[in-house]
Structure formats: structure tokens, C-alpha cells
Amino acid sequence: MPKKFIALATAGLALTLLAGCSTGPSKAEQCEQFEKTVKTAAEGVQSEATKLQSDPDAAVTKLKELDGKISDGVDDLSDEALQDKGEAFEEAYGDLVDDIEDIADDPQSADVSGLTKSSTKVQDAGNAFQKECNS
């Protein structure tokens, strides 16, 4: 009976450890996936910024779609520290999109310094996320 108990306990422990290993993607995998999402969003900002003069509504709509993808990317982060940094990035990117939308709505009243601050905030938040990935 003791041997059987030990075997069952060992099997139970092994299953518990294996279950712990399959709880989700690693921190490195989460970083890689979110960085892909961010890269796509950054490319979107660049390509849509050129369209702001010719079709500002379409450009802003596309940027908002990208903002939604970043939000989805943050939702996929299971590491708490990464999620905090991802949320900060999402907020900064959203602010940037809002500033771009304001400029598209009223180019004459464009707040270039606000846009610069938003861009810097996005960059800083991205750097903070990257730093967390490397820790």
C-alpha cells in the first residue's frame, strides 16, 4: 500500500508540475508578440500620417483600428509587470492618436508641441516595456 501511495503521489506531483509549465506563453514570448503588435502600429502611424492631408478621416480611422489592436495585445499579456508597461504604452499611443485626430479636424489650430510630447510619451513607454522584457 505505501508503494502505491507514493507512486500516486509522485504521479500527482508530476501532473501538477506539468500543468504549471503550460499555464501560458513565457515572458519572452509575450514580449515578442506584443512587440510585433507595436511594430505594426508604428508602421501604421507612419503610413497613415502621409494620408492625413489627402484623407484625414480615413487616416484617423486606420489609426484607431491600430489602437484597438494594441489594446488587444495588452489583453493578451499575462505577466503582470508586462501588462502594466503595456497599458502605459496603450495609453500613450491612444493620446497620440487623439492628438493626430485633433490636427486632422482642425489643421489651423494644430498643437505641434502637444504632438511632440505625445510622440515622446509613446517612445518612453515603448522603452519602458522593452526594459521590462530585458529584465
Side-chain angles (χ1 to χ4, degrees), residues 24-81:
S26 70
K27 185 175 181 177
E29 291 168 330
Q30 291 175 64
C31 287
E32 183 179 329
Q33 186 57 46
F34 189 72
E35 287 168 1
K36 285 180 185 176
T37 301
V38 169
K39 183 179 178 186
T40 300
E43 290 168 353
V45 168
Q46 290 174 345
S47 68
E48 295 305 317
T50 60
K51 297 178 186 174
L52 278 172
Q53 289 184 346
S54 61
D55 192 354
D57 292 335
V60 169
T61 298
K62 180 66 175 175
L63 292 173
K64 286 183 177 184
E65 287 175 21
L66 295 169
D67 191 23
K69 289 181 182 182
I70 290 174
S71 178
D72 292 344
V74 170
D75 291 344
D76 291 341
L77 296 170
S78 58
D79 182 275
E80 208 171 304

Side-chain angles (χ1 to χ4, degrees), residues 52-120:
L52 278 172
Q53 289 184 346
S54 61
D55 192 354
D57 292 335
V60 169
T61 298
K62 180 66 175 175
L63 292 173
K64 286 183 177 184
E65 287 175 21
L66 295 169
D67 191 23
K69 289 181 182 182
I70 290 174
S71 178
D72 292 344
V74 170
D75 291 344
D76 291 341
L77 296 170
S78 58
D79 182 275
E80 208 171 304
L82 288 179
Q83 194 166 45
D84 288 345
K85 301 298 183 192
E87 287 171 354
F89 181 85
E90 176 187 8
E91 182 181 334
Y93 185 83
D95 290 347
L96 177 64
V97 171
D98 289 345
D99 287 347
I100 291 171
E101 183 175 23
D102 291 345
I103 290 171
D105 289 344
D106 188 8
Q108 303 303 325
S109 302
D111 180 10
V112 177
S113 67
L115 186 63
T116 301
K117 285 180 188 176
S118 292
S119 296
T120 301

